[in-house]
């Protein structure tokens, strides 16, 4: 038998259910799930705050780390440690909150020997997204010692990883947070300075005093608009989230007067090449400096409660789930 969190139908609030393994989707790779995580999207899904799961019945959980038990495609061998993030897991395909999963081989990456399963889950969608954001900024030119790079949602999963990855590469990362009491945590992740989120929650002027060489934004809305209008000439801002809002109340002024670049980041359907580059970056950073105080370990059964806390900004860093 398999134990899974299942949304039986649209509108169902979900529950843990024991069911036969034959209920799993008909995909080639059978995995014993060892870990998952709680991303913002998982929290929205578990609390039914947004329609993340779009087919039913559905098992949520967008990050899977596990051990291969069987692979009909012949790509993996039993015992291989693997990770999958995105690709519609928990949305259109049964995801991670289960003791077992059946997945397509092309969704899976074999973990390198020097990356633990627990650390791979800590990275998950959040770490990959942060790495893709830094890679996108560098692709547009990001000289070292060029100035400050602002990171919004800094105590969160993407934000904490962004601080670490920027710090590991020698950049000056400034943490924007709604929780000034977390200054010690943010500096431990690599922030060289802290700015209050409240300063960025006002209506944005088309152009304001230049401060940032670049930015990584998980908030959207007025926060992204204010980052754009304070980004220096030629700078880039990687937009990857909507923790504040989906809209963007900005103007074209930063683009046409300062040549600012707005770079979109999506890790869900990202190419294998972008994924490989992101895993490389984040793996190297972890090898240099362990994740330490940014990982909080919990049991899968606690997921629903943890999701509520995450949406209420009562958690920080990365929540890793184990059986
Ligand atoms: N594009 C992609 O592929 C991709 C992938 C992963 C995540 N995302 C998106 O990125 C965002 C962050 O994800 P996550 O997993 O890092 O979530 P998370 O761990 O919950 O972190 C979100 C952080 O945003 C800040 N925040 C919370 N409410 C806010 C508000 N109303 N206005 C401004 N900031 C607020 C908080 O940081 P402070 O308290 O420090 O301000 C919070 O810790 C989400 O919108 C998620 O959907 C996108």
């Amino acid at each position: 038998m398999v134990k899974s969190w299942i949304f039986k139908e649209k509108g169902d609030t979900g529950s843990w259910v024991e069911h036969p393994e034959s209920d799993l989707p008909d995909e080639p790779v059978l995995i014993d799930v060892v870990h998952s995580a709680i991303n913002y999207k998982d929290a929205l899904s578990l609390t039914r705050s947004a329609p993340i799961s779009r087919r039913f019945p559905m098992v949520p959980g967008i990050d899977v780390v596990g051990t291969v038990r069987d692979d009909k495609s012949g790509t993996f061998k039993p015992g291989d440690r693997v990770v999958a993030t995105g690709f519609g897991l928990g949305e259109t395909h049964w995801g991670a909150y289960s003791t077992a999963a059946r997945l397509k081989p092309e969704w899976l990456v074999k973990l390198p020997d020097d990356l633990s399963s627990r650390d791979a889950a800590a990275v998950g969608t959040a770490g990959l997204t942060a790495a893709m954001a830094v890679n996108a900024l560098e692709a547009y030119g990001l000289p070292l010692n060029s100035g400050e790079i602002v990171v919004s949602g800094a105590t969160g999963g993407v934000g904490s990883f962004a601080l670490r990855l920027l710090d590991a590469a020698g950049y000056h990362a400034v943490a924007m947070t709604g929780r000034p009491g977390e200054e010690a945590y943010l500096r431990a992740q690599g922030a060289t300075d802290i700015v209050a989120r409240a300063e960025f929650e006002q209506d944005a002027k088309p152009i304001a005093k230049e401060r940032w060489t670049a930015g990584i934004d998980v908030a959207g809305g007025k926060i992204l608009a204010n980052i754009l209008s304070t980004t220096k000439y030629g700078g880039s801002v990687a937009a990857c989230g909507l923790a504040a809002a989906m809209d963007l109340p900005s103007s074209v002024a930063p683009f046409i007067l300062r040549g600012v670049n707005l770079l979109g980041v999506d890790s869900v359907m990202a190419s294998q090449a972008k994924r490989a580059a992101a895993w490389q970056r984040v793996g190297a950073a972890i090898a240099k400096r362990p994740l330490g105080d940014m990982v909080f370990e919990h049991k899968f059964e606690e997921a629903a409660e943890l999701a509520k806390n995450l949406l209420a900004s009562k958690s920080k860093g990365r929540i890793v789930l184990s059986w």
Side-chain angles (χ1 to χ4, degrees):
M1 295 290 274
V2 173
K3 183 174 170 183
S4 307
W5 181 275
I6 294 187
F7 296 122
K8 290 191 180 122
E9 58 202 9
K10 196 175 174 184
D12 178 22
T13 51
S15 58
W16 291 108
V17 176
E18 295 219 353
H19 59 90
E21 200 165 89
S22 55
D23 286 355
L24 294 174
D26 187 20
E27 299 292 358
V29 193
L30 175 61
I31 290 162
D32 289 313
V33 176
V34 178
H35 295 296
S36 185
I38 301 198
N39 294 278
Y40 191 82
K41 192 185 263 183
D42 293 315
L44 291 175
S45 180
L46 281 166
T47 56
R48 308 302 282 145
S49 306
I52 304 297
S53 295
R54 301 194 298 281
R55 284 188 197 151
F56 300 92
M58 180 55 63
V59 174
I62 67 173
D63 294 342
V64 179
V65 177
T67 310
V68 173
R69 201 191 318 157
D70 181 51
D71 179 9
K72 290 188 190 125
S73 76
T75 313
F76 299 98
K77 55 181 193 318
D80 279 351
R81 296 181 309 121
V82 289
V83 58
T85 63
F87 289 120
L89 294 176
E91 302 184 57
T92 53
H93 186 93
W94 282 21
Y97 296 164
S98 178
T99 52
R102 275 194 172 278
L103 304 176
K104 292 187 194 298
E106 58 267 32
W107 294 343
L108 292 160
V109 174
K110 192 172 171 224
L111 290 181
D113 290 342
D114 57 358
L115 187 64
S116 72
S117 299
R118 177 254 198 200
D119 280 359
V123 175
T125 291
L128 283 193
T129 305
M132 285 177 197
V134 179
N135 289 345
L137 294 179
E138 285 185 341
Y140 268 74
L142 194 57
L144 282 174
N145 301 318
S146 55
E148 296 174 314
I149 302 173
V150 66
V151 174
S152 64
T155 60
V158 176
S160 297
F161 263 109
L163 293 177
R164 281 178 170 259
L165 296 175
L166 290 169
D167 182 51
Y171 299 111
H172 295 287
V174 174
M176 182 199 301
T177 185
R179 288 181 265 179
E182 294 292 352
E183 177 168 353
Y185 168 82
L186 293 166
R187 288 197 186 272
Q189 305 319 307
T192 54
D193 204 354
I194 317 287
V195 287
R197 188 208 290 167
E199 288 174 33
F200 296 77
E201 290 177 326
Q202 316 303 321
D203 289 342
K205 293 179 184 156
I207 288 286
K209 188 165 183 268
E210 291 173 280
R211 175 158 184 191
W212 317 113
T213 299
I216 295 179
D217 177 61
V218 306
K222 291 181 185 177
I223 291 174
L224 177 54
N226 275 295
I227 292 175
L228 287 169
S229 62
T230 49
T231 295
K232 286 183 185 171
Y233 194 95
S236 301
V237 179
C240 36
L242 42 55
M246 175 82 103
D247 66 345
L248 178 53
S250 184
S251 76
V252 296
F255 313 121
I256 64 171
L257 299 180
R258 287 199 180 144
V260 168
N261 307 299
L262 178 56
L263 313 178
V265 176
D266 167 61
S267 64
V268 178
M269 299 309 293
S271 66
Q272 291 298 355
K274 280 190 178 170
R275 284 169 192 268
W279 275 110
Q280 164 71 27
R281 172 160 222 133
V282 81
I286 293 173
K288 217 162 136 186
R289 187 155 71 95
L291 294 174
D293 68 348
M294 73 164 285
V295 180
F296 299 85
E297 297 188 50
H298 290 273
K299 294 288 177 199
F300 270 96
E301 287 87 349
E302 299 172 75
E305 202 54 36
L306 293 163
K308 284 186 214 157
N309 288 343
L310 185 139
L311 291 184
S313 286
K314 288 183 186 163
S315 55
K316 63 188 176 192
R318 288 288 284 160
I319 299 167
V320 169
L321 302 175
S322 313
W323 285 110

